[in-house]
Amino acid sequence: MAIVLLQAAAAAALSFDDWARAHGRVYESAAEREERRGHFLAYHSAVEAAAAANPHALYGLDEYADWCSDERSGLRGGPIKTAAAAKQPAFDPAAGAPQPIDWVARGAVNKPVSQGRCGTCAQFSATADIEAQWFLAGHGLVKLSEQEMIDCSSYTGPYGMGWVADVHKGLALNQTYPLANHSDPTLAGCRSPCNMSEASPNRSVAKIDGATCLGKPVYDNETQMLAWLVHGPLSVSIDAGALGGYRGGLITDCNRTRVDHAVLLVGRGVDAASQMPYWKLKNSWGPKFGEEGYFRIQAGVKCLGLRGACQAYIGSPPSADV
């Protein structure tokens, strides 16, 4: 047994060296390198466990593999308070599968970008939600400024969308108020003082009338989410525990309830290989994550604690009726 453990440790060390070279990691001291190696080994074990629990998905070691748990927590957004879970039946297969929906294919969603370790997932999800509604209102797809919402808003309304609708009356273009370099793993701070000249209402482009959420007792009802998805993408909350190291495929390790991340629900379909229904979601960990920045989870079982669906609207809010 000791020999096997030593061999396994040597293999892991070689794997860390290969990974560090591939990602251009340069450490300032031997002590830092050893510390990062420890983080790498812990992450390696977690990814292996996730791969074993999700046989319909692919996993590997991503660019965050040497981050500590505190650094990696910034990829999410901290716990998002929601109501207690409610009982809700799964989709009934006998009723027939709904028609596939993919708002990415329909041109309503911009390419994924990275929030880095900034803990700003709610603002990224909300901005993408507003972009989609602006597109669906006939204005074309524009890239709006997550950084403006991060710098200038207190958390107002669902996922911060209330700030855009009720306080600021709009959101500027990304080129007017560009995103900080959140992809830099050494970035210490992610927020700056609000640039009032660039964030002034007269520089705003996309304006919404409000944002609405599924309330109790239907806030985690997937049938209601599907009904709203017809009107455009939804900002939702999930447990991101199964996302580390995810490379693609269908996540089925669904029995999770700790909600700590906000993403954008952009589609619904059926997996060709497994014939399982799935939700398609846009992450904010950059285009190298998962399936070009997206991931898929099993539908009908509240996978990853899926809940808290909210949607921006222009004109009237979507009907909650199925």
Side-chain angles (χ1 to χ4, degrees):
M1 179 63 71
I3 295 176
V4 173
L5 288 174
L6 286 172
Q7 289 175 339
L14 178 61
S15 178
F16 172 67
D17 290 341
D18 291 342
W19 177 90
R21 280 194 295 270
H23 289 82
R25 288 293 198 267
V26 177
Y27 303 104
E28 294 184 358
S29 66
E32 182 190 3
R33 182 178 183 82
E34 190 60 25
E35 180 183 7
R36 291 295 177 181
R37 179 179 177 276
H39 299 328
F40 174 88
L41 294 177
Y43 188 61
H44 192 286
S45 297
V47 169
E48 284 185 332
N54 290 284
H56 298 284
L58 299 175
Y59 281 79
L61 295 174
D62 53 35
E63 60 187 303
Y64 312 114
D66 67 343
W67 285 17
C68 68
S69 58
D70 286 343
E71 289 173 319
R72 196 171 293 110
S73 69
L75 288 169
R76 306 177 187 183
I80 299 172
K81 296 180 180 180
T82 57
K87 295 291 184 181
Q88 175 250 319
F91 290 129
D92 181 7
Q99 290 296 313
I101 299 173
D102 190 337
W103 287 111
V104 180
R106 296 186 190 184
V109 183
N110 278 304
K111 293 181 179 180
V113 293
S114 176
Q115 71 178 72
R117 61 183 184 188
C118 294
T120 50
C121 56
Q123 289 90 348
F124 277 73
S125 174
T127 300
D129 193 323
I130 295 168
E131 289 170 348
Q133 288 303 317
W134 192 246
F135 168 83
L136 292 170
H139 300 288
L141 183 63
V142 296
K143 184 71 196 78
L144 299 176
S145 174
E146 298 96 348
Q147 196 66 45
E148 179 186 357
M149 194 183 289
I150 292 166
D151 290 350
C152 304
S153 70
S154 58
Y155 193 86
T156 304
Y159 298 89
M161 289 183 284
W163 176 80
V164 178
D166 303 327
V167 178
H168 202 262
K169 311 301 182 185
L171 200 58
L173 290 173
N174 181 68
Q175 66 189 46
T176 300
Y177 202 127
L179 186 66
N181 186 13
H182 290 188
S183 297
D184 180 358
T186 66
L187 191 67
C190 303
R191 293 173 173 83
S192 302
C194 180
N195 186 333
M196 294 304 298
S197 63
E198 300 299 343
S200 61
N202 62 1
R203 302 297 295 271
S204 296
V205 172
K207 298 174 174 61
I208 59 173
D209 293 306
T212 189
C213 304
L214 293 179
K216 294 177 66 177
V218 297
Y219 80 105
D220 63 348
N221 187 314
E222 294 191 41
T223 302
Q224 295 284 357
M225 291 184 196
L226 181 59
W228 275 22
L229 190 61
V230 174
H231 301 280
L234 305 174
S235 293
V236 295
S237 303
I238 61 165
D239 181 332
L243 300 187
Y246 170 82
R247 293 292 181 85
L250 184 61
I251 294 174
T252 55
D253 177 23
C254 294
N255 188 23
R256 295 169 180 267
T257 57
R258 175 178 171 270
V259 174
D260 61 0
H261 192 37
V263 292
L264 189 73
L265 181 60
V266 297
R268 169 68 160 74
V270 176
D271 182 62
S274 66
Q275 290 301 299
M276 290 183 184
Y278 68 80
W279 296 113
K280 178 178 179 179
L281 302 106
K282 179 186 181 183
N283 203 1
S284 50
W285 294 358
K288 293 181 181 179
F289 165 81
E291 297 176 335
E292 297 183 335
Y294 297 87
F295 63 102
R296 291 177 295 141
I297 62 175
Q298 185 179 356
V301 292
K302 292 186 279 189
C303 195
L304 307 188
L306 180 66
R307 66 186 70 172
C310 296
Q311 188 175 76
Y313 63 87
I314 298 171
S316 301
S319 170
D321 297 330
V322 177

